[in-house]
Amino acid sequence: MRGQPSLCEVLRPASLAEALDMLRAEPGLRPLAGGTDLMVPFAAGTLQYTRFLNIWGLPELRGIERSDRTFILGALTTYSDLRRDPELGEVFPN
């Protein structure tokens, strides 16, 4: 049986703080950032979860921070973000 979108609920927090509050209040809530990994079990009807927390729109989880010898990548930093960053390009050339 294929997945049924009407059985799923996606919550959209306005901030990281709100997302963390939602996760604390409902431990079964699953973070969702793009959905690629969910599509196969959803299409096959084997996805175990029905409530998701869409974190894709949280800017606090994006970006690249630098210190003297370290780069810290936010959880939602994309491959394209990495490719466009000039400092990363200097340290890690193609």
Side-chain angles (χ1 to χ4, degrees), residues 69-84:
R69 299 183 61 214
T70 305
F71 288 93
I72 300 170
L73 308 179
L76 297 180
T77 302
T78 66
Y79 177 71
S80 295
D81 295 335
L82 300 177
R83 297 281 307 193
R84 284 191 294 258

Side-chain angles (χ1 to χ4, degrees), residues 8-67:
C8 294
E9 181 179 7
V10 178
L11 306 175
R12 291 171 179 82
S15 68
L16 180 57
E18 182 180 1
L20 294 172
D21 287 343
M22 294 168 100
L23 287 169
R24 272 190 290 276
E26 189 174 338
L29 198 56
R30 298 290 178 205
L32 167 71
T36 302
D37 293 342
L38 297 175
M39 294 288 71
V40 172
F42 179 78
T46 59
L47 186 62
Q48 298 175 358
Y49 308 106
T50 58
R51 290 178 50 81
F52 300 94
L53 184 67
N54 185 351
I55 61 171
W56 186 249
L58 301 178
E60 300 98 327
L61 297 178
R62 293 192 187 291
I64 302 167
E65 293 181 30
R66 299 151 185 86
S67 67

